[in-house]
C-alpha cells in the first residue's frame, strides 16, 4: 500500500523559511516523479512543484519560482520543499503526491497534507 | 497561458440522480493530459479519471470521463451519498476551480 506522510508545517512569520518533508513507502520511490500541491483554506488545488525520479529535473509554479526549492533523497524515500521568503499568500495545506507514472500529469496517491501558516 | 474552467461552481442534486460536471480548457489539449479528482471535506484529493476517460484503480463504474480538445466531462451515473464532494479537473499542472456537488 502506498503511503505518503508530510511533515514540517507550522506557523512562520512573513519573510521566514520552512522545510517540508514527505516520506514515502509502498512503492519503488526512485522511479516515480513526485509533486507538491497546495490548498489555501477554503480554496481549490494549486500545483506548486514537481521533481522527477532522479531529482535531476524540477518544475515550479511561477508564484513560487525563486523562493521554493524541491529536492529528494532516494536513499530515504523522501522529498523536500524548502520554502524561503514566505508570504501570507503561501498559507495553505501542502500535499505531496505521487505521479501515476503514465504519460499525463495525474497523481494517483496523496498524503494527508501539512498546514503552513504565514502570519505575524 | 492555459486556463481551466469548471462551471457551475455548485451543483445541487439528489441521491440517485445523474451528475454531469463540465471542464473547459482555454485551448485544445491532448486528452492524455486531463484528469479528475474527488475531494471530500478534510481529506486529500483522490484520483478518479486519467487520460480523460480511464478510471483509476478502485474507482466505481458509476464514474466516467469523456471529452476531447477543449471540452471534457465527468459523469456520475447515479449519485451515492458518499459522492457529495468537490470535484477538480486537471489539465497538465493546472487545476480548475472545482465543482461542489451538494445534496439538494
Amino acid at each position: 500500500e502506498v503511503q505518503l506522510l508530510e511533515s514540517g508545517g507550522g506557523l512562520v512569520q512573513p519573510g521566514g523559511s520552512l522545510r517540508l518533508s514527505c516520506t514515502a513507502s509502498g512503492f519503488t520511490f526512485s522511479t516515480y516523479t513526485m509533486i507538491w500541491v497546495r490548498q489555501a483554506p477554503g480554496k481549490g488545488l494549486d500545483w506548486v512543484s514537481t521533481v522527477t525520479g532522479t531529482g535531476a529535473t524540477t518544475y515550479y509554479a511561477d508564484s513560487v519560482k525563486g523562493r521554493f526549492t524541491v529536492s529528494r533523497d532516494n536513499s530515504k524515500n523522501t522529498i523536500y520543499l524548502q520554502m524561503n521568503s514566505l508570504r501570507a499568500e503561501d498559507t495553505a495545506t501542502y500535499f505531496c503526491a505521487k505521479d501515476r507514472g503514465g504519460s499525463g500529469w495525474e497523481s494517483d496517491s496523496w498524503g494527508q497534507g501539512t498546514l503552513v501558516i504565514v502570519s505575524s | 497561458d492555459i486556463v481551466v474552467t469548471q462551471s457551475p461552481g455548485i451543483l445541487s442534486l439528489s441521491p440517485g440522480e445523474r451528475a454531469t460536471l463540465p471542464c473547459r480548457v482555454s485551448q485544445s489539449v491532448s486528452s492524455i493530459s486531463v484528469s479528475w479528482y474527488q475531494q471530500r471535506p478534510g481529506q486529500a484529493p483522490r484520483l478518479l479519471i486519467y487520460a480523460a476517460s480511464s478510471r483509476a484503480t478502485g474507482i466505481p463504474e458509476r464514474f466516467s470521463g469523456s471529452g476531447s480538445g477543449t471540452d471534457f466531462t465527468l459523469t456520475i451515473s447515479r449519485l451515492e451519498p458518499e459522492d457529495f464532494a468537490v470535484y477538480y479537473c486537471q489539465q497538465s499542472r493546472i487545476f480548475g476551480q472545482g465543482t461542489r456537488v451538494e445534496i439538494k
Side-chain angles (χ1 to χ4, degrees):
Chain A
E1 179 194 4
V2 173
Q3 292 193 342
L4 300 171
L5 184 62
E6 303 95 338
S7 60
L11 175 64
V12 61
Q13 292 189 340
S17 298
L18 212 54
R19 188 177 84 155
L20 306 183
S21 301
C22 171
T23 300
S25 61
F27 62 102
T28 307
F29 181 74
S30 63
T31 65
Y32 284 91
T33 291
M34 298 293 293
I35 301 104
W36 287 100
V37 173
R38 67 185 179 183
Q39 186 170 38
K43 302 297 184 183
L45 302 173
D46 182 30
W47 170 76
V48 174
S49 182
T50 295
V51 58
T52 56
T54 62
T57 304
T58 57
Y59 305 90
Y60 298 94
D62 287 344
S63 58
V64 307
K65 202 172 293 183
R67 300 188 299 122
F68 289 11
T69 302
V70 64
S71 61
R72 64 192 296 160
D73 184 340
N74 287 342
S75 70
K76 296 182 178 178
N77 281 12
T78 299
I79 63 167
Y80 304 96
L81 187 67
Q82 177 66 44
M83 304 186 296
N84 298 331
S85 303
L86 282 161
R87 306 166 180 167
E89 54 264 35
D90 296 318
T91 294
T93 295
Y94 286 72
F95 296 99
C96 77
K98 167 188 163 292
D99 185 88
R100 191 182 66 85
S103 303
W105 288 79
E106 65 275 0
S107 300
D108 62 354
S109 297
W110 295 65
Q112 284 305 303
T114 187
L115 178 61
V116 172
I117 300 173
V118 184
S119 175
S120 55
Chain B
D1 287 358
I2 289 179
V3 177
V4 178
T5 301
Q6 292 183 252
S7 181
I10 300 175
L11 210 50
S12 298
L13 295 167
S14 301
E17 283 195 295
R18 180 184 189 90
T20 302
L21 284 66
C23 172
R24 175 159 287 180
V25 185
S26 58
Q27 64 189 70
S28 184
V29 298
S30 167
S31 297
I32 289 174
S33 66
V34 175
S35 51
W36 289 90
Y37 300 83
Q38 176 193 67
Q39 188 178 30
R40 295 172 178 145
Q43 295 188 14
R46 177 173 71 141
L47 178 66
L48 298 175
I49 301 289
Y50 64 92
S53 60
S54 297
R55 260 189 308 276
T57 303
I59 301 304
E61 290 185 2
R62 64 181 181 273
F63 291 94
S64 64
S66 62
S68 64
T70 60
D71 292 293
F72 299 87
T73 302
L74 174 71
T75 301
I76 310 170
S77 58
R78 284 179 58 85
L79 283 164
E80 297 287 342
E82 62 268 27
D83 299 336
F84 292 91
V86 180
Y87 293 85
Y88 293 97
C89 172
Q90 181 190 21
Q91 190 282 315
S92 183
R93 306 161 194 170
I94 305 166
F95 290 94
Q97 315 95 305
T99 293
R100 179 183 305 277
V101 179
E102 65 173 26
I103 299 177
K104 187 175 182 179

